[in-house]
Amino acid sequence: MTNSNQLKSQVLHSLKWVALGKVLTQIIRWAMTFWVIRLLLPEDYGVVAMADMFAGFLALFIGGLFAPAIIQTKELSQTMLKQMFGLIIVVYSTMFLVQYNLASVVGNFYQSEHVTSILKVTACLFIVKAIAIIPTSLLARNMAFKHVSIISSVANITAAVTTLVLAYLQFGFWAIIIGEIIAVTLRAVLTLAVQPITFLPEFKFTQVKPHLKFGGLIMLHSIVFYVFLHMDVAIAGRLMSVTEIGVFAIALQFALMPQKKILPLLKEVAFPAFSKIQDQPQRINAYILKAQKMSILLTIPIFWGLASVIDQIIPIILGDKWLEAIYPTMIILFVMPLRFSEELFNPALKSQRKVKHMLHNVSIMSVVMLISIVLAAPYGAVGLAAAWACGFPIAYGVVACRNANLLNIKYRNIAKLFLAPVAAGIIMLIVVFTLKQYTGEIAVLNLLIQIAAGGVAFISALYLFDKKLIVELISIFKRSPKRHD
């Protein structure tokens, strides 16, 4: 088998296992998450969202510092791993102390004692994560995604069940926090069982420093990207009530659910795969265009389809107390295919160490979105959602053009990928919204009818505009790569 075919087979096999784990897990998690949302209040999600702002920001300081260096380094010695382990312990212990000691300051900023309590409790997760970084990175480096998927499924399902039980027992926002602690801890324990650490840490960092420059740039990019993604809640936290923030947080959570489950699947496999061919830019460019084509083909019917029936889904699944989240969710869903497409460039850019380029990209997007969010924040959750709908397409256009120039891909070739799926998506929306005039009552049967009609409309229109896309998509799913466990 040639190296090209072997890599393709390995990638498809990895995607199969990651997809299998994600799909089975998320069917269960989504059902339980919706049930939890019905049990909890907007205020609960508002408090958690504000606490996550600071905890997530701290995590980004170190989240991309070590793993990318381990995965991307061609020659990985035992001494380097020992020194990496020692540095991980030092850095993560420092972050634990920072979060614990600044918890009161953050709580005072948001005028919430609950935020302080959450941050002090979740600070311990830094210690748990530190132990699992090297084993997790080695599994990814070796593309052992069968083990990764099984571990993730067990941890996530256990955490979801725990969260549901605690929410039913009226633990409020603590149900979410305890569930997250269980997920992180169980994932670390199972990862160590599969890929144990058989060496002690060294606290000399001579061999680690050259590799951390790359990780440091990834870390800086992650920090700016986090600010970009969460500046809406950060700004709104001072201008809106906790209830309004909770409504927007649920709108985001609902809209981001497909992306959070599908995109990590692709990026988890894509970065190690691109790293293996990092010195073959032509092959990378071909894979980029293919990945973008498939992502646009899938994300437009998924996200736009959800947007078209979200007025049915939220009352049925979440209940009437979340009706205010309908329009923010609908607005955000329409822009999600662009967000998906933008992030899908990053594994290839990262594999070629183009992190400074990525940093410039996210800085441009942050400036555009900051202006849009500041103007829209006074108008509540709908205003914040509209900020994304207005600002992000502009930011995407600039960044996609920059990426195309860097990768020697014609920008019009990227733009062409949108034509048939967007046209089919518009027809799908017209069919669904027309059907609503005759099946406007909120009911499960009407929801199913609208989903079926939208799906048929999209596939029929896509076949009319570009039937080769459907044939290509079917051929990908028909492939059965050989095992490479």
Side-chain angles (χ1 to χ4, degrees):
M1 183 181 291
T2 66
N3 290 336
S4 177
N5 290 334
Q6 186 175 6
L7 177 62
K8 184 183 293 184
S9 178
Q10 194 173 10
V11 169
L12 290 174
H13 178 64
S14 299
L15 279 172
K16 179 192 73 174
W17 273 107
V18 177
L20 182 62
K22 294 286 185 183
V23 170
L24 293 178
T25 302
Q26 295 314 320
I27 290 175
I28 298 172
R29 286 198 69 186
W30 280 354
M32 294 187 179
T33 297
F34 296 146
W35 197 349
V36 169
I37 292 174
R38 292 182 69 94
L39 293 172
L40 299 183
L41 300 172
E43 291 84 347
D44 294 321
Y45 283 93
V47 169
V48 172
M50 289 186 288
D52 280 347
M53 277 293 304
F54 183 72
F57 183 72
L58 280 185
L60 282 177
F61 272 98
I62 50 179
L65 190 58
F66 302 103
I70 295 173
I71 295 172
Q72 212 264 352
T73 300
K74 287 188 175 181
E75 296 182 4
L76 197 61
S77 67
Q78 185 84 343
T79 302
M80 178 186 169
L81 287 176
K82 289 180 179 180
Q83 293 185 6
M84 190 78 76
F85 190 22
L87 187 57
I88 288 171
I89 291 173
V90 171
V91 172
Y92 273 74
S93 297
T94 301
M95 288 296 105
F96 162 76
L97 294 173
V98 170
Q99 178 169 320
Y100 188 88
N101 289 302
L102 290 182
S104 298
V105 176
V106 178
N108 290 336
F109 175 80
Y110 286 116
Q111 300 177 355
S112 172
E113 294 181 0
H114 295 318
V115 171
T116 300
S117 300
I118 290 172
L119 289 174
K120 287 187 175 181
V121 171
T122 56
C124 66
L125 292 180
F126 281 109
I127 306 300
V128 178
K129 291 177 181 178
I131 301 173
I133 288 177
I134 289 179
T136 301
S137 302
L138 291 175
L139 288 175
R141 177 185 174 89
N142 298 324
M143 301 190 75
F145 291 106
K146 175 180 178 180
H147 298 300
V148 173
S149 298
I150 293 173
I151 290 169
S152 179
S153 298
V154 172
N156 289 334
I157 291 173
T158 303
V161 172
T162 303
T163 301
L164 176 60
V165 172
L166 293 177
Y168 183 78
L169 296 175
Q170 299 183 344
F171 274 67
F173 61 83
W174 284 114
I176 302 173
I177 302 303
I178 295 172
E180 177 64 18
I181 292 173
I182 289 175
V184 172
T185 304
L186 188 55
R187 191 177 297 117
V189 171
L190 294 176
T191 301
L192 282 169
V194 173
Q195 180 74 52
I197 297 178
T198 58
F199 50 83
L200 296 175
E202 285 187 7
F203 296 95
K204 296 178 182 179
F205 310 127
T206 53
Q207 291 196 19
V208 174
K209 290 179 182 179
H211 300 282
L212 289 185
K213 182 179 179 181
F214 175 63
L217 288 173
I218 294 290
M219 175 196 70
L220 183 59
H221 171 266
S222 297
I223 292 171
V224 180
F225 190 70
Y226 184 84
V227 172
F228 160 70
L229 287 181
H230 295 86
M231 66 173 71
D232 44 16
V233 174
I235 295 171
R238 298 292 292 178
L239 300 176
M240 294 162 52
S241 67
V242 175
T243 300
E244 288 177 315
I245 295 172
V247 169
F248 181 71
I250 287 301
L252 268 181
Q253 181 175 342
F254 213 106
L256 289 172
M257 269 187 178
Q259 183 187 23
K260 285 183 176 180
K261 311 314 174 187
I262 299 172
L263 189 59
L265 181 157
L266 298 176
K267 291 169 73 174
E268 189 174 4
V269 177
F271 178 44
F274 280 130
S275 294
K276 290 180 181 292
I277 56 172
Q278 56 186 280
D279 55 349
Q280 304 175 53
Q282 290 185 343
R283 288 182 66 192
I284 288 178
N285 292 352
Y287 283 131
I288 289 172
L289 286 175
K290 184 176 290 291
Q292 288 288 344
K293 181 191 295 185
M294 290 301 103
S295 74
I296 294 166
L297 180 60
L298 292 173
T299 56
I300 286 180
I302 290 173
F303 289 112
W304 288 16
L306 278 173
S308 68
V309 296
I310 199 67
D311 58 330
Q312 299 272 332
I313 292 176
I314 286 182
I316 291 173
I317 295 180
L318 304 186
D320 292 342
K321 65 181 178 182
W322 293 104
L323 292 179
E324 292 182 17
I326 289 176
Y327 287 114
T329 307
M330 183 183 295
I331 294 170
I332 294 170
L333 281 167
F334 279 117
V335 81
M336 289 310 300
L338 292 182
R339 287 185 58 173
F340 197 104
S341 173
E342 189 279 323
E343 288 195 50
L344 203 54
F345 281 106
N346 289 341
L349 294 171
K350 192 191 301 182
S351 71
Q352 297 185 59
R353 293 180 173 259
K354 304 295 185 182
V355 185
K356 288 184 179 179
H357 176 86
M358 294 167 57
L359 186 58
H360 292 156
N361 281 350
V362 73
S363 298
I364 292 169
M365 293 191 297
S366 297
V367 171
V368 174
M369 288 309 306
L370 177 61
I371 296 171
S372 186
I373 289 168
V374 168
L375 293 175
Y379 300 97
V382 173
L384 287 180
W388 282 101
C390 296
F392 191 77
I394 298 172
Y396 175 84
V398 175
V399 167
C401 185
R402 281 173 46 81
N403 291 340
N405 290 335
L406 179 71
L407 298 167
N408 294 319
I409 298 174
K410 292 181 180 179
Y411 183 72
R412 65 173 178 269
N413 289 343
I414 298 176
K416 285 180 181 178
L417 300 178
F418 285 88
L419 294 179
V422 167
I426 292 173
I427 291 177
M428 174 187 68
L429 293 174
I430 292 173
V431 169
V432 173
F433 281 108
T434 301
L435 189 60
K436 285 180 184 290
Q437 306 303 315
Y438 303 96
T439 59
E441 183 181 353
I442 297 174
V444 174
L445 179 59
N446 289 339
L447 172 62
L448 295 176
I449 292 172
Q450 291 170 18
I451 291 174
V456 171
F458 181 85
I459 294 173
S460 301
L462 189 65
Y463 185 84
L464 177 66
F465 294 131
D466 192 347
K467 64 181 180 181
K468 290 182 180 179
L469 284 175
I470 296 179
V471 173
E472 187 173 356
L473 184 63
I474 293 173
S475 68
I476 288 177
F477 285 106
K478 278 185 176 181
R479 291 175 186 169
S480 180
K482 295 180 180 181
R483 295 180 62 87
H484 289 276
D485 291 336

